[in-house]
């Protein structure tokens, strides 16, 4: 997850402030770093691969003196970690750093190449530097050039720009789920991708919203819309203690992690989707011959990761047409599984330290299966022992109940399913392109779904005193129902059951009583009618229905007491989108009840005993 820092002031401390800020952003994970400072009116850029110590030692030899500069930690999305791909990117007199993903990167790159631009990196951010440079060459000032350049960008991004020819300002812009804030000082200003980064310098901040541009000068900050209309944004005074600072201004880690999901997903898919027509998954070292001869795939996981596995099975069987089983890791060894060297075993684990998942992986590997782990933690036991690893780049998950790692695991499984299908030659190029395009759109839809926060809070208030909840779903909606019920149990200690909606009549219907809240995952068009008929059965018996549906659905309000509308999307993505309001529902009910959301009683983040 990339990090942005910027400084403009009177004393020559740009380099030191930027390095200090980058250190504070290290927790986000990165693979290279760089900075640009205007020294004696000239842009000076230093970039290095690996940890910040490398950048620091490069600067120790040739320190940069200057009062204005920008710095960046990069987590590779377009192009491998390398000095050329590290930010800042320079074109003409302009230097740019950026977070996020430019979706029309390929088209823009081709257009710019056609106009004679030469690229030094594989990144999408370099495109932005050339677009701005083109506008500068037409005589526009820096602010106007940035405004004109970003009109060409589709995607979600936050950028910061400096320019030799306009040495008195930093220009920043934001769109989509990449935060950027300004810290206001006396005659000096600070830019960063989160508030804690600038807290040692100032507690007065301005937060840039989507589709806004900021011009930052020593004496103050102007914010305008992308179209140029001035915005009077109030400053915020930050009073956090150090622990609150770590939470980035959110009340709890879990809330922060729910809101980090657009970034967790885009960081997980970004490096693997640099091309429009193929997936870059060389890291998982799949041999095409082995994949063609596969007899089956076995997923093993616990808890929330098992729910991701249930979605993974649907994805793998539907997309790659390979038989796929998914087992609770704790049960796997005890059913004498039939794995051979022609099977692939996929353990899924956020921590990489879950004892049952490790045990299941070792058992499957001892039977001859090749293992491909999905994991979020480098150097964990599972990643050390597996034959290969697909890392989810969700960043550290502190809340004990998993949120962003679940959605990152689902997109990881989706990418693996597509890779398997490609290696088996059963995906047409058009289908693959469509899948890639849809995956790239997902972070933005997740961002939009986060807007449901207050709506779901109001629904939570209505049902906060319910003693039991039922969650129902079918197809991709079934694992979502299980996950919604698990989150509610864990966080709020309210009894909740998740069921395949078709199973309702085979037992759980006996539970339905006056006012029992039943959450119906109904945003899957292929099973909508069936799921909604369960809603009717619930209401006929006095239960209260909360339906998660696609935006634009005009029918659900006839069958539900409360409706939560998520963006319309392909069904597999719909599962990710429907999960988010259910995480929110659990979170709100828990906070209203006053339970410890980040550390629910009796639970541990890594379950290292069987
Ligand atoms: C639930 C939750 C747990 C974990 C499970 C597996 O919110 O977090 O159910 O998913 O303990 O943990 P990992 O993924 O670390 O193997």
């Amino acid at each position: 997850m990339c990090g942005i820092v910027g400084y403009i002031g009177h004393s020559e401390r740009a380099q030191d402030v930027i390095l200090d800020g980058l250190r504070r952003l290290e927790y986000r994970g990165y693979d290279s770093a760089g900075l640009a400072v205007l020294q004696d009116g000239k842009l000076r850029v230093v970039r290095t691969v690996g940890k910040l110590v490398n950048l620091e030692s490069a600067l120790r030899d040739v320190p940069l003196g200057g009062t204005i500069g920008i710095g960046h930690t990069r987590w590779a999305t377009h192009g491998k970690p390398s000095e050329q791909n590290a930010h800042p990117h320079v074109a003409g007199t302009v230097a740019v750093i950026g977070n996020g993903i430019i979706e029309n990167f390929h088209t823009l790159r081709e257009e710019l190449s056609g106009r004679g631009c030469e690229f030094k990196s594989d990144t999408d951010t370099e495109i932005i530097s050339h677009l701005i440079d083109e506008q500068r060459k037409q005589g526009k000032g820096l602010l106007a050039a940035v405004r004109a350049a970003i009109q060409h960008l589709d995607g979600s991004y936050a950028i910061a720009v400096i320019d030799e020819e306009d040495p008195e300002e930093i220009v920043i812009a934001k769109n989509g789920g990449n935060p950027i804030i300004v810290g206001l000082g006396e005659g000096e200003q600070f830019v960063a991708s989160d508030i804690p980064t600038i807290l040692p310098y100032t507690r007065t901040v301005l937060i840039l919203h989507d589709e806004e541009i900021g011009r930052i000068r020593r004496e103050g900050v102007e914010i305008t819309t992308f179209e140029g209309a001035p915005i009077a944004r109030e400053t915020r005074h930050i009073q956090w203690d150090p622990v609150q600072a770590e939470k980035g201004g959110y009340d709890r880690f879990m809330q922060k992690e729910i809101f980090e999901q657009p970034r967790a997903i885009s960081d997980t898919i970004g490096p693997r989707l640099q091309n429009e027509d193929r997936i870059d998954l060389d890291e998982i070292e799949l041999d095409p011959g082995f994949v063609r001869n596969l007899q089956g795939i076995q997923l093993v996981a616990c808890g929330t990761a098992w729910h991701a596995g249930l979605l993974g099975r649907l994805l793998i069987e539907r997309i790659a047409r390979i038989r796929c089983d998914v087992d609770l890791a704790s049960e796997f060894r005890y059913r004498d599984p039939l794995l051979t060297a022609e099977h692939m075993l996929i353990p899924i684990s956020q921590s990489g330290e879950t004892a049952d998942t490790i045990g299941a992986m070792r058992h499957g590997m001892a039977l001859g299966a090749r293992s491909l782990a999905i994991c979020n933690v480098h150097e964990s036991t599972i990643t050390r022992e597996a034959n290969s690893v697909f890392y989810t780049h969700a960043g550290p998950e502190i809340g004990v109940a998993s949120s962003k790692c679940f959605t990152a695991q689902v997109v990881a499984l989706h990418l693996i399913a597509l890779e398997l299908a490609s290696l088996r030659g059963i995906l047409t190029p058009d289908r693959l392109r469509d899948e890639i395009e849809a995956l790239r759109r997902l972070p933005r839809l997740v961002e939009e779904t986060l807007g449901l926060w207050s709506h779901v809070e109001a629904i939570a208030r209505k049902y906060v005193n319910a003693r039991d909840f039922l969650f129902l779903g079918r197809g991709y909606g079934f694992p979502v129902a299980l996950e919604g019920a698990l989150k509610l149990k864990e966080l709020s200690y309210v009894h909740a059951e998740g069921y395949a909606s078709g199973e309702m009549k085979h037992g759980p219907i006996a539970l339905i009583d006056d006012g029992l809240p039943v959450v119906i995952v109904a945003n899957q068009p292929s099973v909508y009618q069936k799921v909604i008929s369960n809603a009717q059965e619930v209401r006929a018996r006095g239960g209260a229905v909360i339906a998660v549906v696609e935006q634009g659905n005009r029918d659900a309000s006839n069958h539900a007491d409360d409706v939560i509308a998520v963006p319309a999307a392909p069904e597999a993505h719909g599962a990710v989108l429907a999960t988010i309001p259910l995480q929110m529902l659990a979170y709100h009910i828990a906070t209203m009840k006053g339970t410890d959301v980040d550390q629910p009683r009796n639970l541990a983040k890594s379950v290292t005993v069987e």
Side-chain angles (χ1 to χ4, degrees):
M1 294 185 288
C2 307
I4 285 178
V5 187
Y7 174 79
I8 178 164
H10 289 297
S11 65
E12 294 227 328
R13 60 175 187 150
Q15 172 187 308
D16 293 344
V17 173
I18 291 167
L19 282 178
D20 182 51
L22 293 179
R23 245 174 262 124
R24 249 177 277 282
L25 288 168
E26 274 192 296
Y27 76 93
R28 297 157 80 96
Y30 65 102
D31 46 50
S32 51
L35 86 179
V37 168
L38 285 178
Q39 185 178 34
D40 303 324
K42 290 279 156 224
L43 263 182
R44 298 276 313 278
V45 177
V46 179
R47 303 179 298 187
T48 51
V49 178
K51 292 292 163 199
L52 269 183
V53 283
N54 300 342
L55 184 65
E56 284 161 351
S57 79
L59 287 163
R60 210 167 295 127
D61 300 338
V62 228
L64 300 182
T67 59
I68 169 169
I70 50 178
H72 190 261
T73 44
R74 172 174 187 259
W75 183 255
T77 55
H78 292 76
K80 61 180 194 283
S82 67
E83 192 191 327
Q84 276 101 327
N85 286 337
H87 302 204
H89 293 287
V90 175
T93 57
V94 169
V96 180
I97 54 177
N99 292 352
I101 290 192
I102 305 304
E103 284 161 12
N104 56 341
F105 156 75
H106 289 282
T107 321
L108 290 174
R109 193 170 161 120
E110 271 167 30
E111 285 171 11
L112 282 160
S113 301
R115 297 200 288 272
C117 269
E118 284 182 14
F119 290 92
K120 299 182 208 87
S121 79
D122 307 316
T123 67
D124 49 357
T125 303
E126 193 187 351
I127 304 277
I128 307 175
S129 64
H130 286 291
L131 288 171
I132 299 172
D133 180 47
E134 279 190 341
Q135 298 293 333
R136 295 288 284 129
K137 289 191 172 127
Q138 290 167 25
K140 293 196 178 81
L142 180 60
L143 179 68
V146 172
R147 179 170 293 128
I150 58 181
Q151 306 297 337
H152 298 278
L153 306 179
D154 287 339
S156 144
Y157 54 84
I159 58 168
V161 189
I162 56 172
D163 184 352
E164 265 176 31
E165 302 284 313
D166 240 325
E168 303 299 323
E169 61 194 39
I170 302 175
V171 174
I172 61 175
K174 166 176 160 53
N175 190 36
N178 293 277
I180 188 159
I181 59 112
V182 187
L184 306 181
E186 290 288 319
E188 56 180 2
Q189 322 291 353
F190 307 83
V191 174
S193 29
D194 67 18
I195 294 173
T197 305
I198 51 94
L199 282 185
Y201 304 101
T202 175
R203 288 184 166 262
T204 310
V205 302
L206 272 176
I207 297 174
L208 214 68
H209 295 176
D210 282 347
E211 301 194 8
E212 289 181 357
I213 301 189
R215 170 195 258 174
I216 296 141
R217 296 183 150 177
R218 289 176 182 84
E219 56 282 4
V221 179
E222 285 163 36
I223 300 182
T224 54
T225 62
F226 275 7
E227 287 72 39
I231 291 175
R233 174 75 24 79
E234 293 210 354
T235 57
R236 277 178 56 186
H237 185 70
I238 306 296
Q239 282 170 320
W240 305 336
D241 60 28
V243 176
Q244 280 175 308
E246 251 186 275
K247 291 183 192 146
Y250 291 101
D251 295 332
R252 295 173 185 79
F253 283 110
M254 172 117 188
Q255 186 189 15
K256 174 170 178 259
E257 286 155 9
I258 290 174
F259 276 82
E260 280 174 346
Q261 289 180 105
R263 200 172 66 216
I265 294 172
S266 73
D267 286 353
T268 298
I269 59 178
R272 283 101 184 193
L273 294 185
Q274 296 172 37
N275 296 289
E276 280 164 13
D277 51 3
R278 76 182 157 81
I279 295 176
D280 299 291
L281 270 186
D282 295 348
E283 70 205 83
I284 61 175
E285 299 161 10
L286 284 180
D287 174 60
F290 169 72
V291 171
R292 272 194 298 275
N293 292 329
L294 268 177
Q295 293 303 304
I297 293 185
Q298 174 71 55
L299 308 179
V300 286
C302 299
T304 286
W306 178 66
H307 299 156
L310 291 171
L311 289 169
R313 171 172 59 188
L314 292 170
L315 285 160
I316 289 170
E317 291 198 339
R318 287 181 185 182
I319 298 174
R321 307 306 293 157
I322 305 174
R323 194 201 152 114
C324 182
D325 286 317
V326 52
D327 274 52
L328 288 164
S330 54
E331 288 294 317
F332 179 65
R333 276 173 292 170
Y334 306 105
R335 73 166 172 93
D336 208 359
L338 299 172
L339 292 198
T340 65
E342 288 173 338
H343 285 81
M344 189 160 82
L345 176 72
I346 306 188
I348 309 163
S349 174
Q350 180 284 131
S351 63
E353 301 296 351
T354 301
D356 281 315
T357 313
I358 295 171
M361 178 175 93
R362 287 179 183 156
H363 189 75
M365 288 173 78
L367 294 171
R370 184 184 161 78
S371 59
L372 160 61
I374 297 179
C375 192
N376 198 48
V377 179
H378 286 253
E379 284 305 307
S380 55
T381 306
I382 285 180
T383 64
R384 287 198 310 270
E385 294 189 15
N387 296 115
S388 56
V389 183
F390 182 117
Y391 282 104
T392 48
H393 298 316
E397 192 177 62
I398 313 289
V400 167
S402 192
S403 53
K404 61 178 179 173
C405 285
F406 170 75
T407 43
Q409 284 161 353
V410 177
V411 295
L413 286 156
H414 200 146
L415 287 175
I416 290 171
L418 289 170
E419 176 75 351
L420 291 168
S422 302
L423 291 173
R424 285 165 82 89
I426 58 168
L427 266 192
T428 62
D430 283 350
R431 165 97 194 269
L432 183 58
R433 262 173 204 276
D434 290 349
E435 291 272 0
I436 290 175
E437 214 180 289
L439 272 163
R440 286 183 174 162
R441 274 197 302 270
L442 182 60
R444 208 191 266 181
L445 300 182
V446 172
E447 179 84 33
E448 197 182 327
T449 308
L450 293 174
L452 288 166
W453 183 255
S454 310
H455 178 60
V456 177
E457 186 175 17
I459 295 175
R461 194 159 292 117
K462 256 174 97 174
Y463 299 103
V464 66
N465 292 321
R467 288 186 42 209
D468 306 279
F469 269 77
L470 200 56
F471 288 72
L472 302 176
R474 190 182 276 255
Y476 286 114
F478 170 41
V480 175
L482 291 176
E483 177 59 7
L486 179 63
K487 284 286 97 82
L488 185 62
K489 278 189 264 227
E490 289 181 291
L491 299 189
S492 68
Y493 318 147
V494 172
H495 171 241
E497 299 275 356
Y499 266 95
S501 60
E503 276 291 290
M504 191 177 77
K505 289 201 244 346
H506 301 283
I509 198 162
L511 294 173
I512 296 170
D513 200 352
D514 263 358
L516 175 86
V518 181
V519 178
I520 308 237
V521 183
N523 67 328
Q524 308 281 325
S526 66
V527 292
Y528 176 75
Q529 284 309 336
K530 293 209 158 119
V531 177
I532 225 62
S533 72
N534 292 122
Q536 288 158 342
E537 289 154 8
V538 168
R539 283 183 112 200
R541 287 159 183 81
V545 170
I546 303 161
V548 181
V549 300
E550 288 194 312
Q551 283 169 2
N553 178 323
R554 305 215 180 289
D555 172 61
S557 55
N558 300 322
H559 314 291
D561 297 78
D562 293 282
V563 172
I564 299 172
V566 297
E571 292 200 350
H573 300 321
V576 170
L577 300 177
T579 303
I580 289 161
L582 303 194
Q583 295 167 343
M584 294 175 180
L585 185 69
Y587 178 94
H588 286 306
I589 292 183
T591 52
M592 287 170 199
K593 285 183 169 297
T595 57
D596 185 343
V597 169
D598 283 337
Q599 289 179 313
R601 69 183 179 205
N602 308 334
L603 293 180
K605 186 70 186 157
S606 296
V607 184
T608 52
V609 289
E610 290 183 19

